[in-house]
Amino acid sequence: MAPHDIRRPFKRPVISDQQKRRELSLLRQAQNRRDAQHQARCLASTAFSLASQTLEAPISESELEVEALPESHKGHEPESEQEPSPKDFDVVGASKLKGAEARKWFAKQLMHPEWMIDIPDGLSQDWYVFARPSGKRCFIVSFNGTTISRLRNGSILHRFPSALPNGSRKKDVSGSAQSYSILDCIFHELDQTYYVIDMVCWRGYSLYDCTAEFRFFWLDSKLAESGACDAPSHYHKYRFSLVPVYNCDHNGLYAAYTEAAPYVKDGLLFYNKHSHYQTGITPLALVWKDENCSQYVIDTDNEGQVPSQQQVVLELQEDGRLTTSDDPPTVFGCLDGSFIERSGLKSGCLLRFAVGEGGVVFVDGKLENADLHYLGKANRARASADSFSKVMFQYSVRHSPLRIDDLLASVDSAVDPGAKPCDIEMDG
Amino acid sequence: MAMEVTQVLLNAQSIDGNVRKHAEENLKQFQEQNFPGFLLSLSGELANDDKPVDSRKLAGLILKNLLDAKDENRKHELVQRWLLLDPAAKTQIKSCLLQTLSSSAVDARSTASQVIAKVAGIELPQKQWPELVGSLLSNIHQIPAHVKQATLETLGYLCEEISPEVLDQDQVNKILTAVIQGMNVTDGDNDVRLAATRALYNALGFAQANFSNDMERDYIMRVVCETTMSPEVKIRQAAFECLVSIASMYYEKLAPYIQDIFNITAKAVRGDEEPVALQAIEFWSTICDEETDILEEYGGDSTGDSDLACFYFIRQALPALVPLLLETLLKQEEDQDLDEGAWNIAMAGGTCLGLVACTVGDDIVPLVMPFIEENITKPDWRQREAATYAFGSILDGPSPDKLATLVNVALPFMLSALMKDPNNHVKDTTAWTLGRMFEFLHGSIVGTRLINEGNCQQIITVLLQSMKDAPNVAEKACGALYFLAQGYEDVETASPLTPFFQEIVQSLLTVTHRDDATESRLRTAAYETLNEVVRCSTNETASLVLQLVPVIMMELHKSLEGQNLSSDEREKQSDLHGLLCGCLQVIIQKLGSSDATKYAFMQYADQIMGLFLRVFAFRNATAHEEAMLAIGALAYATGPDFAKYMPEFYKYLEMGLQNFEEYQVCAVTVGVVGDICRALEDKILPYCDGIMTQLLKDLSSDNLHRSVKPPLFSCIGDIALAIGDNFYKYLMYAMNTLQLAAEMYAHASGFDDEMTEYINSLRNGILEAYSGIFQGFKNSSKTQLLIPYAPHILQFLDSIYMEKDMDEVVIKTAIGVLGDLADTLGSNAGSLIQQSLSSKEFLNECLTSEDDLIKESAEWAKLAISRAISV
């Protein structure tokens, strides 16, 4: 048994540079693996790729870094802008889109409620209600150290630092800097606050395929945690705020309608609890308003005046038909070819019409005839034609509006029809 | 049945190569023809006192080598062969061995001791040879001292060979009693005392119960301490070795003895012979190790409820210990800095002083400063060197605040000494001390500003000048520059090194070309420093880093041209290949990390790849490993374009995956496969048949170093993620392998910490593989292929959850797999998931975890599950 060697390293660093190289490589590989995994998980939702649904490969590193590309590499830039058709883009890619392309893409990403023209079944059980803040509807993406809000036509409202995940250059301890969060908001000018009405994506995890119930729960628990609801500061330019959401029973509906809110109300929004976040117009989210809860019940014209006749904006199709923005669209009428030629109109034009004395006539629930009078081209800022439900809501507001009492009655009757004094006018 | 082997054994040690070779062949033949007979003959030879010592010794050695081997597989074979041997033969062999312990020939006895221990190592864990310990102990009471000595030696080897749980406490007690008695016969035979003391060293691990008993522990400690004062130097050394071992094994029991031990060790350090003094210093170094471990683990939180309390022995001993260690610093050897293997009392004392500084922090400073001030300007180089070394030693440990003023004063002094001191040894230590200053007191984490605009230029000028000094000094100057650069690693713009970047790089390259660059690992140090300078450089010097690419490429090219070299030159050439590939790897990683520099770098990619491939033509593991690492970095930087290199590179990739012997090469290659998967994505498909085959082979091999297995599993996940549902053709094989491994590693109880850690890394690899496969198959029409595997995977998650021994990394990966499974299988797995424990308790635990990464994965899993069960 020989004596035991007790030599210790002398004037030597604890690890060699070779070992350091090895460890740095392993670290890089582990990080890359995590990013790859993370990306795979983020791409979970089919909703990120657009309607065309070509299932493309995960975004490559280079695409992710396009934004970081310095000026000296202009030569490379145009390629990355042209290459992918906007249809195949995910949201990170889309955030690199510029100008009109970007507007087109983002305009399609929001979920738009139908206007409530009749009361859905099960309103009290299956729906939420909340008072819609008055302001600009925005799609907010926080990613890679900035937060960008875009209006419903896709144009940028603000580019700012926020406490949302990866919303500012401040180091975020949790999660990859490449993960993004997307919120559906209304920007309320008066108090310069973004009121969050829905959460679409959080820290890279898509909530598109989640029920409204889950999304609201997630929104409720995550937003405050991020510090986004804190007062504005250097790294957090605008305050975000939650909107009180109620179960659409009598009390909830009553509260949403009557209770004071920190913001100016613009109608009530109804969300079906089981519906996913669906881009475009959906009947599973509804908007309703009357003079008590909105300043703008009846549409105004370009001068801000309520016109004597209802006006509608419709899209001109190739064959001359005039359609709403719904999918599938509703046809409200048809222009004849000679008129189109004479007026220099092209298919895709948004045109403004007045609804005449003849009004809108239904037979068996289907639009039979509308008395339309051509006024001219619509305002250029308009992104799309009116939806069918909007036209009908405006029509009913002018003729036989759906009242808050009707709504309250419907939720009461669902719970216990005999429990309360009945406001409904009895027919029989 | 035994055969006459004496002459053959003697011939096998002949100086005549032919005779030797012939004899070796004879022995081999005999062994193959009649294995039991061969062993019997050997044991008979060993036991026979009439035979020459040389043949007896070799007989024992061959026996020993037929019972044990370094290689795990070979060892396993040997053990099985012994266990299956005819019992009568085994009995006879063992009896010969025991009989040899009484032989008068010391070499025969000693060889027999080792062979007995090897046989015991096989048989005792099998509950065989139960009478061994008893019969050894009965030897102890025999009168002849040499029998006692041989028996104690055997007990020592025995304890070295087996693990403590093999012996029952009664046997342990008897062995310890015999050993301590052997040590305690103060007027007895020195050989017996030495054998007993060395046996105790190995038996200490068995003495857990005895050290918990105050009386027994007192007795053991008293005898060990007394033995440190034996007149025989070897016995004193062995006794101090015991103390060192006790310090690490029974730290918490030392309090009553520490004062006595201090006195004993102090005496040894001051007056005893060097081997003894070195052990005495090692005792205190070990105490430092223990205390820093405890303090690190509990953050100095002495709430008393942890089972590992710190007794602050070092703090208590400080006023006496520091002067003792400072004295040793003055005992330098003339050329210790030129001798790689040197280890003397000054080096041991200095090292211990550094450990003490780490243990106690600020308190050491006032105890060391007077020594430094007194000696640093003395004419005797030993005093200047000792003072400088003392200063360098205490730079790690005390707070930067405590040191700031001192270091600011010392810096100009050291710079001047490095230029002007006439002594090589002093300059070596001065450069090293400057390196320590930069390592511990310069950089973004330290509040103080050691280096500023005023002195930066001077520091660099001095270091670059010093790089022209003798190789050992130049090497330390490179090291100082390394840490100077490292201090700026977090600087994003306006690095103070920017103005000097070109000059520094040029000087380092000049160093690599020095004729004496292979001495004192100078060339290695120069390239390592160059690497760090590149790593820590900012955008401002990106163009200069880019210019470095063709320079290093040219170096590599030139070095690849060298032919007809001697074996010594070849080795140096391979070292250089390794260094240059390492340097290119660092550069690629640096330039690849930003788009601007990446695209500029790409012009060299083809040529660089060509050079790396040429490195593979040289057989050298380190160079291969470095080239492979560099290729991984290149693949990451190149992205999908890397596909063009694959046809040529593939064979080396395969070779790397097959390199079991140089397992580091294999491990690095596995990592590079992952890099390539992420770079190429589905373009890797054409190569997957070969790669997957090799990965699965590697996983099923017993010959591959175990450390490679976890990354092998992860790599399967990388491939699946890259090629998506094209993975279906490997699915059955991969899942089969994963399932077997999962079953094997679901439970880790009953293993030591190291093994549990290893099992956790295996689990992590297996889980990463599952993760990659599930994510790869997502949104595919082939998703249903995965459904049959879901129950088993969920069961695996449940069972590792219930084991409660996962580390954070595994928890994070495991909960992620739960999410991936739910995400990919959706409603197909809804009810299965809901039945699993993981989806409830485990998930809930993770959701409330304090670890952000775990929480994040858990939130993902929750989301995926909610989707899967809501559909």
Side-chain angles (χ1 to χ4, degrees):
Chain A
M1 279 178 283
H4 300 85
D5 193 6
I6 48 168
R7 258 180 293 197
R8 288 170 181 254
F10 188 72
K11 291 188 184 174
R12 287 267 171 272
V14 185
I15 61 161
S16 71
D17 194 74
Q18 192 193 9
Q19 188 57 25
K20 182 169 177 173
R21 278 199 296 282
R22 227 179 251 150
E23 281 166 15
L24 285 174
S25 282
L26 286 176
L27 214 65
R28 175 181 60 73
Q29 285 165 350
Q31 179 64 44
N32 293 348
R33 176 177 295 131
R34 220 171 63 197
D35 288 352
Q37 221 170 48
H38 201 74
Q39 241 163 41
R41 287 176 184 167
C42 293
L43 291 171
S45 172
T46 46
F48 274 119
S49 26
L50 281 183
S52 70
Q53 270 308 322
T54 47
L55 216 154
E56 78 271 34
I59 337 143
S60 74
E61 253 348 276
S62 61
E63 261 173 283
L64 279 175
E65 285 169 11
V66 168
E67 211 167 39
L69 203 70
E71 295 298 313
S72 59
H73 281 274
K74 285 226 166 74
H76 189 75
E77 231 169 8
E79 273 176 44
S80 63
E81 250 180 56
Q82 289 162 5
E83 251 171 17
S85 100
K87 279 188 174 176
D88 303 332
F89 251 124
D90 60 282
V91 73
V92 176
S95 65
K96 319 285 185 327
L97 290 174
K98 305 257 154 69
E101 291 285 84
R103 287 200 292 277
K104 227 155 98 189
W105 194 87
F106 278 97
K108 288 184 190 153
Q109 296 313 303
L110 287 168
M111 174 160 88
H112 295 294
E114 281 195 1
W115 289 77
M116 188 187 283
I117 39 188
D118 49 24
I119 301 170
D121 291 339
L123 190 61
S124 67
Q125 266 107 55
D126 299 333
W127 294 72
Y128 290 119
V129 62
F130 58 93
R132 179 166 83 166
S134 165
K136 292 169 178 153
R137 180 87 181 279
C138 304
F139 193 62
I140 292 213
V141 179
S142 72
F143 166 69
N144 205 12
T146 28
T147 308
I148 295 175
S149 58
R150 287 176 186 269
L151 299 174
R152 51 185 298 180
N153 67 8
S155 62
I156 293 181
L157 176 62
H158 298 127
R159 183 192 291 268
F160 61 105
S162 79
L164 293 174
N166 294 321
S168 75
R169 296 260 170 227
K170 242 170 57 173
K171 273 191 183 158
D172 193 344
V173 280
S174 60
S176 154
Q178 301 294 359
S179 82
Y180 40 85
S181 301
I182 305 172
L183 299 175
D184 183 345
C185 297
I186 292 171
F187 184 68
H188 189 252
E189 289 281 355
L190 218 58
D191 60 357
Q192 295 283 301
T193 297
Y194 280 97
Y195 286 92
V196 185
I197 59 170
D198 211 333
M199 180 178 267
V200 182
C201 195
W202 190 253
R203 289 191 192 279
Y205 298 144
S206 162
L207 287 121
Y208 275 96
D209 286 347
C210 297
T211 61
E213 196 171 8
F214 187 82
R215 295 199 308 275
F216 287 159
F217 156 72
W218 207 247
L219 171 60
D220 216 32
S221 47
K222 294 292 148 193
L223 190 70
E225 193 180 293
S226 70
C229 301
D230 297 350
S233 63
H234 180 65
Y235 285 111
H236 182 57
K237 196 166 171 199
Y238 295 101
R239 179 204 297 274
F240 287 76
S241 187
L242 291 165
V243 171
V245 176
Y246 304 93
N247 279 316
C248 194
D249 52 21
H250 182 92
N251 293 340
L253 180 56
Y254 192 75
Y257 184 68
T258 58
E259 254 168 40
Y263 48 84
V264 179
K265 292 182 191 179
D266 182 20
L268 298 181
L269 277 170
F270 299 81
Y271 273 55
N272 186 293
K273 293 178 181 174
H274 313 293
S275 64
H276 293 183
Y277 193 95
Q278 191 184 328
T279 58
I281 300 167
T282 171
L284 294 174
L286 298 168
V287 57
W288 172 91
K289 51 173 75 164
D290 69 6
E291 288 81 0
N292 282 326
C293 66
S294 174
Q295 295 171 286
Y296 323 97
V297 180
I298 301 181
D299 279 355
T300 53
D301 61 16
N302 294 344
E303 280 79 45
Q305 303 298 314
V306 174
S308 58
Q309 286 184 316
Q310 179 186 354
Q311 296 188 356
V312 297
V313 173
L314 296 169
E315 184 175 346
L316 177 64
Q317 301 297 323
E318 214 156 345
D319 56 7
R321 290 187 301 169
L322 299 164
T323 60
T324 60
S325 60
D326 305 271
D327 182 25
T330 305
V331 181
F332 262 75
C334 199
L335 290 182
D336 67 54
S338 58
F339 178 80
I340 296 172
E341 218 164 295
R342 231 176 23 246
S343 320
L345 302 176
K346 289 192 194 100
S347 76
C349 273
L350 299 178
L351 307 177
R352 182 177 295 275
F353 297 87
V355 181
E357 295 293 316
V360 183
V361 181
F362 285 88
V363 173
D364 295 336
K366 282 179 78 176
L367 179 71
E368 171 78 10
N369 183 38
D371 180 17
L372 299 179
H373 301 270
Y374 179 64
L375 298 175
K377 285 192 190 174
N379 189 319
R380 287 184 57 195
R382 282 292 293 254
S384 60
D386 287 337
S387 67
F388 175 75
S389 66
K390 174 166 185 195
V391 175
M392 292 318 295
F393 187 86
Q394 286 293 322
Y395 188 77
S396 68
V397 162
R398 286 169 181 260
H399 297 91
S400 56
L402 193 61
R403 280 183 271 267
I404 185 68
D405 293 344
D406 301 336
L407 292 170
L408 285 167
S410 90
V411 300
D412 288 340
S413 64
V415 180
D416 187 353
K420 285 196 168 190
C422 201
D423 298 356
I424 300 171
E425 286 176 32
M426 296 296 170
D427 274 350
Chain B
M1 176 144 133
M3 195 179 116
E4 177 58 42
V5 287
T6 312
Q7 196 51 52
V8 188
L9 288 168
L10 291 175
N11 287 349
Q13 302 170 71
S14 161
I15 358 170
D16 184 335
N18 285 327
V19 176
R20 208 165 57 229
K21 205 173 153 217
H22 185 67
E24 278 164 4
E25 275 165 17
N26 278 343
L27 288 170
K28 207 176 151 207
Q29 222 173 4
F30 184 15
Q31 182 190 330
E32 279 163 10
Q33 280 164 1
N34 181 357
F35 186 64
F38 184 59
L39 296 185
L40 278 171
S41 303
L42 293 174
S43 61
E45 183 79 10
L46 178 61
N48 191 337
D49 270 335
D50 300 333
K51 298 290 185 182
V53 163
D54 284 344
S55 74
R56 296 175 73 182
K57 240 172 81 177
L58 184 60
L61 217 63
I62 295 174
L63 258 179
K64 193 179 117 187
N65 290 336
L66 289 172
L67 292 165
D68 194 11
K70 280 224 174 75
D71 180 81
E72 283 294 316
N73 297 299
R74 166 100 179 127
K75 182 177 175 156
H76 183 73
E77 274 171 37
L78 294 173
V79 167
Q80 291 310 311
R81 192 158 61 168
W82 173 264
L83 288 172
L84 293 172
L85 205 67
D86 169 37
K90 282 195 281 196
T91 308
Q92 199 181 337
I93 293 165
K94 290 190 280 193
S95 129
C96 285
L97 292 170
L98 286 173
Q99 184 195 324
T100 314
L101 294 181
S102 311
S103 163
S104 55
V106 56
D107 285 342
R109 291 201 306 272
S110 178
T111 312
S113 298
Q114 296 174 49
V115 182
I116 290 170
K118 292 293 177 198
V119 175
I122 297 172
E123 295 204 343
L124 295 193
Q126 307 281 335
K127 307 272 175 233
Q128 297 175 14
W129 210 3
E131 69 281 12
L132 171 66
V133 174
S135 65
L136 286 173
L137 290 169
S138 71
N139 271 357
I140 294 286
H141 303 296
Q142 290 192 15
I143 306 300
H146 70 267
V147 182
K148 241 185 221 184
Q149 176 268 333
T151 306
L152 287 165
E153 194 176 341
T154 310
L155 287 170
Y157 283 124
L158 178 73
C159 290
E160 194 176 28
E161 204 62 44
I162 61 177
S163 55
E165 63 272 10
V166 169
L167 295 181
D168 59 43
Q169 188 59 42
D170 182 52
Q171 287 176 312
V172 171
N173 292 340
K174 286 181 176 149
I175 291 173
L176 281 172
T177 308
V179 168
I180 297 292
Q181 278 173 1
M183 291 168 74
N184 201 23
V185 192
T186 40
D187 51 352
D189 184 290
N190 274 343
D191 292 339
V192 172
R193 281 191 90 188
L194 181 60
T197 312
R198 287 181 176 170
L200 178 67
Y201 180 90
N202 288 333
L204 282 169
F206 293 69
Q208 211 74 45
N210 313 80
F211 263 82
S212 299
N213 177 318
D214 291 351
M215 232 170 61
E216 294 182 25
R217 186 183 60 242
D218 283 348
Y219 179 55
I220 297 172
M221 291 304 293
R222 183 171 63 77
V223 172
V224 173
C225 290
E226 280 168 11
T227 312
T228 63
M229 288 174 277
S230 156
E232 172 59 38
V233 59
K234 279 189 181 164
I235 296 176
R236 295 200 301 277
Q237 184 185 356
F240 273 111
E241 282 187 45
C242 288
L243 277 182
V244 170
S245 179
I246 290 168
S248 73
M249 262 187 255
Y250 301 108
Y251 167 83
E252 72 282 2
K253 308 281 188 205
L254 281 178
Y257 319 105
I258 202 76
Q259 183 61 50
D260 287 338
I261 296 176
F262 180 81
N263 295 337
I264 295 168
T265 49
K267 192 163 162 260
V269 171
R270 292 206 164 99
D272 211 326
E273 294 186 39
E274 189 160 70
V276 183
L278 288 176
Q279 293 292 345
I281 292 173
E282 181 63 16
F283 173 85
W284 291 102
S285 293
T286 306
I287 296 287
C288 289
D289 291 344
E290 291 301 313
E291 295 196 343
T292 43
D293 280 356
I294 295 169
L295 295 174
E296 252 168 45
E297 195 144 330
Y298 297 100
D301 171 29
S302 51
T303 43
D305 53 12
S306 74
D307 45 343
L308 266 178
C310 183
F311 288 90
Y312 300 101
F313 294 138
I314 298 294
R315 191 171 292 279
Q316 290 160 29
L318 209 55
L321 182 59
V322 169
L324 177 71
L325 295 172
L326 290 173
E327 281 172 39
T328 66
L329 296 182
L330 293 158
K331 299 181 179 170
Q332 309 96 323
E333 286 174 315
E334 286 287 347
D335 288 333
Q336 69 182 39
D337 285 324
L338 305 178
D339 176 7
E340 280 285 322
W343 186 246
N344 56 43
I345 190 163
M347 296 165 92
T351 304
C352 187
L353 187 67
L355 295 171
V356 171
C358 287
T359 314
V360 302
D362 290 359
D363 292 354
I364 199 168
V365 178
L367 295 169
V368 174
M369 284 318 293
F371 177 84
I372 298 170
E373 283 156 8
E374 153 128 32
N375 290 292
I376 196 121
T377 50
K378 284 280 157 61
D380 181 359
W381 72 265
R382 287 177 190 280
Q383 286 171 288
R384 296 197 307 279
E385 196 278 336
T388 313
Y389 192 90
F391 189 63
S393 299
I394 60 166
L395 293 174
D396 184 18
S399 62
D401 285 347
K402 182 87 185 173
L403 295 170
T405 327
L406 297 173
V407 170
N408 278 316
V409 174
L411 181 60
F413 182 90
M414 296 286 167
L415 291 172
S416 155
L418 186 54
M419 287 294 87
K420 296 185 185 133
D421 200 288
N423 182 274
N424 169 285
H425 199 127
V426 174
K427 283 193 283 189
D428 184 296
T429 302
T430 303
W432 171 77
T433 299
L434 282 166
R436 300 261 297 178
M437 286 183 186
F438 303 149
E439 184 178 4
F440 300 111
L441 295 157
H442 149 66
S444 58
I445 40 162
V446 187
T448 54
R449 293 244 304 161
L450 175 61
I451 300 163
N452 50 50
E453 280 172 30
N455 60 16
C456 189
Q457 166 137 35
Q458 190 204 357
I459 292 169
I460 289 167
T461 309
V462 168
L463 291 180
L464 297 190
Q465 187 61 35
S466 183
M467 282 184 214
K468 298 174 187 157
D469 208 318
N472 62 314
V473 178
E475 186 241 354
K476 300 296 186 303
C478 288
L481 190 56
Y482 184 104
F483 290 113
L484 182 71
Q486 191 176 72
Y488 295 118
E489 66 185 344
D490 294 330
V491 175
E492 280 174 21
T493 50
S495 165
L497 292 190
T498 296
F500 310 103
F501 188 87
Q502 191 131 24
E503 197 186 349
I504 290 171
V505 168
Q506 200 48 55
S507 302
L508 287 167
L509 289 173
T510 308
V511 171
T512 66
H513 292 135
R514 279 173 59 155
D515 291 336
D516 53 5
T518 54
E519 289 171 34
S520 294
R521 60 184 291 285
L522 176 57
R523 181 179 282 154
T524 307
Y527 275 116
E528 288 180 346
T529 302
L530 182 58
N531 293 345
E532 192 66 8
V533 168
V534 169
R535 272 191 212 110
C536 302
S537 65
T538 60
N539 272 337
E540 302 143 333
T541 42
S543 61
L544 296 174
V545 175
L546 191 64
Q547 286 170 24
L548 197 54
V549 178
V551 175
I552 304 294
M553 281 170 63
M554 185 48 81
E555 297 281 337
L556 183 53
H557 172 79
K558 274 193 288 190
S559 140
L560 286 163
E561 295 291 290
Q563 276 168 3
N564 302 326
L565 304 174
S566 69
S567 71
D568 184 40
E569 287 168 327
R570 263 209 306 278
E571 197 182 315
K572 283 178 184 165
Q573 181 192 34
S574 288
D575 288 348
L576 185 57
H577 292 164
L579 291 172
L580 292 166
C581 288
C583 185
L584 285 170
Q585 184 214 335
V586 171
I587 295 175
I588 294 169
Q589 203 139 320
K590 184 75 191 177
L591 295 175
S593 66
S594 108
D595 278 340
T597 48
K598 184 160 76 181
Y599 294 116
F601 162 77
M602 279 308 153
Q603 58 179 309
Y604 301 111
D606 290 357
Q607 280 172 287
I608 284 200
M609 191 63 194
L611 290 169
F612 291 153
L613 293 177
R614 284 173 64 192
V615 172
F616 290 120
F618 295 77
R619 298 283 325 144
N620 180 283
T622 309
H624 281 201
E625 194 191 330
E626 294 284 6
M628 207 41 107
L629 279 173
I631 288 173
L634 185 67
Y636 173 62
T638 320
D641 289 345
F642 191 82
K644 64 178 170 182
Y645 306 125
M646 282 305 284
E648 232 190 313
F649 173 53
Y650 177 71
K651 69 175 170 189
Y652 300 108
L653 196 70
E654 198 169 60
M655 260 167 54
L657 292 176
Q658 288 164 345
N659 195 342
F660 288 8
E661 266 165 46
E662 290 142 347
Y663 71 90
Q664 287 279 21
V665 176
C666 187
V668 161
T669 310
V670 173
V672 169
V673 173
D675 279 330
I676 294 173
C677 284
R678 287 180 287 271
L680 297 188
E681 295 185 347
D682 57 355
K683 282 189 198 158
I684 198 176
L685 196 55
Y687 306 95
C688 281
D689 282 358
I691 294 173
M692 275 304 292
T693 310
Q694 201 51 52
L695 292 181
L696 292 173
K697 265 193 201 165
D698 285 7
L699 278 170
S700 63
S701 163
D702 292 329
N703 295 323
L704 182 59
H705 193 274
R706 66 176 204 176
S707 67
V708 190
K709 302 241 164 155
L712 276 168
F713 285 121
S714 310
C715 189
I716 290 179
D718 295 340
I719 290 180
L721 198 55
I723 64 174
D725 65 3
N726 289 309
F727 192 80
Y728 78 93
K729 55 178 173 171
Y730 316 119
L731 188 64
M732 203 175 81
Y733 309 103
M735 283 300 200
N736 200 2
T737 306
L738 290 168
Q739 183 162 343
L740 283 173
E743 277 163 18
M744 197 177 320
Y745 303 116
H747 308 285
S749 53
F751 292 105
D752 58 14
D753 289 354
E754 195 194 339
M755 192 61 192
T756 309
E757 194 180 317
Y758 175 64
I759 288 178
N760 268 324
S761 66
L762 283 166
R763 289 170 173 174
N764 192 58
I766 294 167
L767 291 165
E768 284 188 333
Y770 283 139
S771 212
I773 293 172
F774 276 112
Q775 286 302 335
F777 273 75
K778 188 163 54 192
N779 297 330
S780 146
S781 57
K782 300 197 177 74
T783 308
Q784 81 284 351
L785 291 176
L786 298 177
I787 297 172
Y789 303 105
H792 176 268
I793 293 167
L794 288 167
Q795 202 188 330
F796 176 54
L797 292 175
D798 284 357
S799 53
I800 54 177
Y801 167 65
M802 286 188 295
E803 288 279 308
K804 302 278 177 207
D805 53 8
M806 282 185 276
D807 59 28
E808 278 80 11
V809 179
V810 181
I811 293 176
K812 187 207 142 245
T813 319
I815 205 68
V817 168
L818 184 67
D820 295 330
L821 188 148
D823 187 27
T824 297
L825 298 185
S827 57
N828 288 318
S831 63
L832 264 176
I833 293 169
Q834 278 176 301
Q835 286 161 22
S836 76
L837 197 59
S838 305
S839 71
K840 301 189 187 73
E841 287 162 47
F842 183 31
L843 181 59
N844 285 334
E845 274 176 34
C846 293
L847 283 168
T848 54
S849 166
E850 283 176 11
D851 185 316
D852 280 334
L853 291 175
I854 292 179
K855 209 168 146 190
E856 191 187 40
S857 288
E859 281 168 358
W860 145 256
K862 185 176 171 185
L863 210 65
I865 292 172
S866 79
R867 257 185 258 153
I869 60 184
S870 73
V871 180

